[in-house]
Amino acid sequence: MKINIIGGGPAGLYFAILMKKANGAHQITIYERNGPDDTFGWGVVFSGKTLANLRAADEVSHAEITREFEAWDNVDVVHRDGKVSIHGNSFSGIARLQLLKILQRRAEELGVDVEFHSEIHDVEALRQDCDLLLAADGVNSTVRLRYAERLQPELDVRANRYIWYGTGQLFHGLTLTFRENNAGVFAAHSYKFNRTTSTFIVECDPLTWENAGFETMNADQTLDYLGEVFTQDLNGHKLLSNNSKWINFLLVKNRNWFYENVVLIGDALHTAHFSIGSGTKLAMEDAIALADSFQQTSNVSEALAHFAETRRPVIEDYQSAAFESMRWFENAASYMHLSPMELAYLLMTRSGRVTYHDLKRRSPEFINQYQSATDLHG
Ligand SMILES: Cc1cc2nc3c(=O)[nH]c(=O)nc-3n(C[C@H](O)[C@H](O)[C@H](O)COP(=O)(O)OP(=O)(O)OC[C@H]3O[C@@H](n4cnc5c(N)ncnc54)[C@H](O)[C@@H]3O)c2cc1C
């Protein structure tokens, strides 16, 4: 089979690896607009369950990925002067660039042709030149736009803004920090992803953003302002920029997942708010599901229909949990009167997927503390 792939992110690279592993005769080319060492962002996280899926799909890359990991099992909620730790949440972090380098090496070793610095404009020409065109071209997918009439995307630009920084301050665990000033409420999502660096994403609502005056601030002023907001959390470390800019979260869904021999995967197909840390996981698990569909049948139409049918319920479930989580952060200001313990409990149960009993099993200490604190108040 001749397979053209647009996008050398986690979704495109991993699908290429799995297809080439299944059949070395497949002719696979990835077109990637960036160079092999360019990256946007800092670290990404995986849950324990994702890792089991990656191991089953490709042991070689799994071994390399896990060798680079920073692992933790706690979520820390920081609010006013309190820090509450909730255990039993197994996660690992890795630099996005590190992950991409591992996947690039593995793909090239298996004989996948990766064309860097190749931006695709004429999608239709590429589609006509292959049996399968994989659109793994990320959240602002050109392919999705080109076939919008067929794929019928639903795009929802959310009001909150976020900016993705790094920092040398190490956050041991997923740390959710809330700070208020006269502009409003700022939430930081942070976690270490190697021995020296943490991801530090700052999110705020549109009113806070406007009050703070970010519209007229340059990149350095923004960095200094946010460094000041989180000064007690950064412990003397600076925020680090990687061409970091304010973004509105884009919620992506598509009514149709494929058209003729074109199929969307990863962020091009769907997004899930970063507060549930699942974008890369979902992208790589899409690749696994699609490669599995080609194990069922080599007929392209049948395989794409099988992929959409089997994968859609899983994605819908994730997107609905992520939606609740995103809404929670959009309304964060209305929870700031709560004590750190109450806030932590509300945060842990925000998606409706984690119950009191789940928390009691996973983190009995947290539930004991929560009960004593709320009994005292009530
Ligand atoms: C603030 C933030 C925090 C996040 N945190 C996490 C996290 O903690 N954990 C997690 O798992 N995920 C996280 N994500 C999500 C994660 O970054 C994405 O979900 C994931 O990278 C999706 O993989 P992908 O391969 O579908 O797309 P991408 O990684 O976006 O890859 C798409 C690739 O296509 C290329 N491309 C696009 N158009 C063209 C074209 N026309 N021609 C050639 N090449 C093209 C791009 O250069 C890019 O390399 C976060 C995202 C954001 C925005």
Side-chain angles (χ1 to χ4, degrees):
M1 199 155 73
K2 181 169 181 192
I3 304 173
N4 284 335
I5 298 179
I6 307 184
L13 285 164
Y14 206 51
F15 180 71
I17 290 168
L18 299 181
M19 290 302 281
K20 197 72 182 167
K21 239 184 84 172
N23 184 347
H26 289 322
Q27 220 185 310
I28 308 181
T29 309
I30 300 180
Y31 299 91
E32 169 54 52
R33 69 153 77 101
N34 291 325
D37 297 313
D38 298 345
T39 188
F40 300 98
W42 300 87
V44 297
V45 293
F46 292 115
S47 67
K49 191 161 162 249
T50 307
L51 292 177
N53 294 338
L54 298 187
R55 167 181 264 157
D58 182 43
E59 274 200 40
V60 176
S61 53
H62 170 270
E64 274 204 68
I65 292 168
T66 49
R67 202 174 307 136
E68 301 291 340
F69 263 167
E70 288 293 313
W72 63 81
D73 99 318
N74 55 308
V75 173
D76 289 352
V77 177
V78 179
H79 176 41
R80 296 192 213 127
D81 293 331
K83 174 163 131 180
V84 180
S85 292
I86 305 103
H87 289 272
N89 308 281
S90 157
F91 273 101
S92 315
I94 184 171
R96 177 177 156 98
L97 180 60
Q98 196 80 42
L99 174 68
L100 291 179
K101 297 302 289 180
I102 292 169
L103 298 179
Q104 285 166 10
R105 268 201 307 274
R106 179 74 175 132
E108 282 172 349
E109 176 188 292
L110 287 165
V112 173
D113 178 18
V114 189
E115 302 280 334
F116 291 106
H117 303 291
S118 301
E119 171 142 15
I120 299 301
H121 300 286
D122 190 349
V123 175
E124 179 61 15
L126 213 63
R127 180 179 87 78
Q128 297 212 358
D129 171 53
C130 63
D131 300 301
L132 175 70
L133 176 65
L134 185 82
D137 51 348
V139 66
N140 297 312
S141 170
T142 310
V143 181
R144 193 180 63 219
L145 185 65
R146 173 66 181 79
Y147 303 115
E149 263 181 40
R150 305 296 187 139
L151 299 169
Q152 297 191 27
E154 294 166 28
L155 307 178
D156 180 5
V157 182
R158 304 302 299 187
N160 267 20
R161 310 255 183 159
Y162 66 90
I163 189 160
W164 199 350
Y165 288 124
T167 175
Q169 166 71 354
L170 294 183
F171 293 93
H172 306 282
L174 173 64
T175 307
L176 301 166
T177 306
F178 298 86
R179 294 289 169 216
E180 280 179 272
N181 67 8
N182 55 6
V185 175
F186 296 87
H189 310 243
S190 57
Y191 51 86
K192 65 178 175 183
F193 62 84
N194 63 25
R195 285 192 200 114
T196 56
T197 332
S198 298
T199 290
F200 197 88
I201 304 165
V202 182
E203 177 176 11
C204 67
D205 63 32
L207 190 61
T208 305
W209 194 84
E210 203 184 304
N211 289 343
F214 289 122
E215 190 148 17
T216 55
M217 281 188 208
N218 65 26
D220 286 343
Q221 290 166 326
T222 304
L223 194 102
D224 289 346
Y225 183 102
L226 293 174
E228 189 60 37
V229 169
F230 291 99
T231 188
Q232 68 196 98
D233 310 294
L234 291 169
N235 203 17
H237 288 274
K238 282 195 161 309
L239 288 177
L240 308 169
S241 171
N242 181 357
N243 196 22
S244 309
K245 292 190 175 65
W246 287 107
I247 314 175
N248 289 80
F249 179 71
L250 180 65
L251 181 58
V252 175
K253 294 181 180 180
N254 284 273
R255 181 164 298 177
N256 300 317
W257 286 23
F258 61 94
Y259 152 64
E260 302 255 332
N261 61 337
V262 183
V263 62
L264 299 166
I265 67 168
D267 274 10
L269 177 61
H270 48 67
T271 54
H273 191 249
F274 50 86
S275 55
I276 68 161
S278 300
T280 304
K281 158 213 163 71
L282 290 178
M284 292 176 77
E285 289 178 343
D286 281 355
I288 296 175
L290 184 57
D292 278 352
S293 297
F294 279 99
Q295 291 291 307
Q296 309 288 322
T297 169
S298 56
N299 178 295
V300 172
S301 312
E302 284 173 20
L304 300 190
H306 181 270
F307 167 65
E309 192 183 311
T310 52
R311 187 76 179 138
R312 195 186 282 273
V314 181
I315 294 300
E316 284 180 351
D317 197 39
Y318 258 94
Q319 284 195 308
S320 98
F323 189 82
E324 296 306 324
S325 181
M326 175 186 76
R327 294 284 299 140
W328 196 97
F329 280 95
E330 287 174 352
N331 292 319
S334 60
Y335 308 124
M336 290 300 107
H337 63 285
L338 297 175
S339 70
M341 193 56 82
E342 289 167 326
L343 187 77
Y345 183 82
L346 197 65
L347 197 46
M348 290 310 292
T349 52
R350 69 192 182 280
S351 72
R353 304 295 195 279
V354 177
T355 63
Y356 171 88
H357 293 288
D358 294 331
L359 288 172
K360 193 166 175 149
R361 188 170 31 83
R362 286 193 214 161
S363 191
E365 252 175 54
F366 164 63
I367 284 297
N368 288 343
Q369 288 167 358
Y370 171 71
Q371 267 173 338
S372 339
T374 46
D375 285 350
L376 276 179
H377 288 112

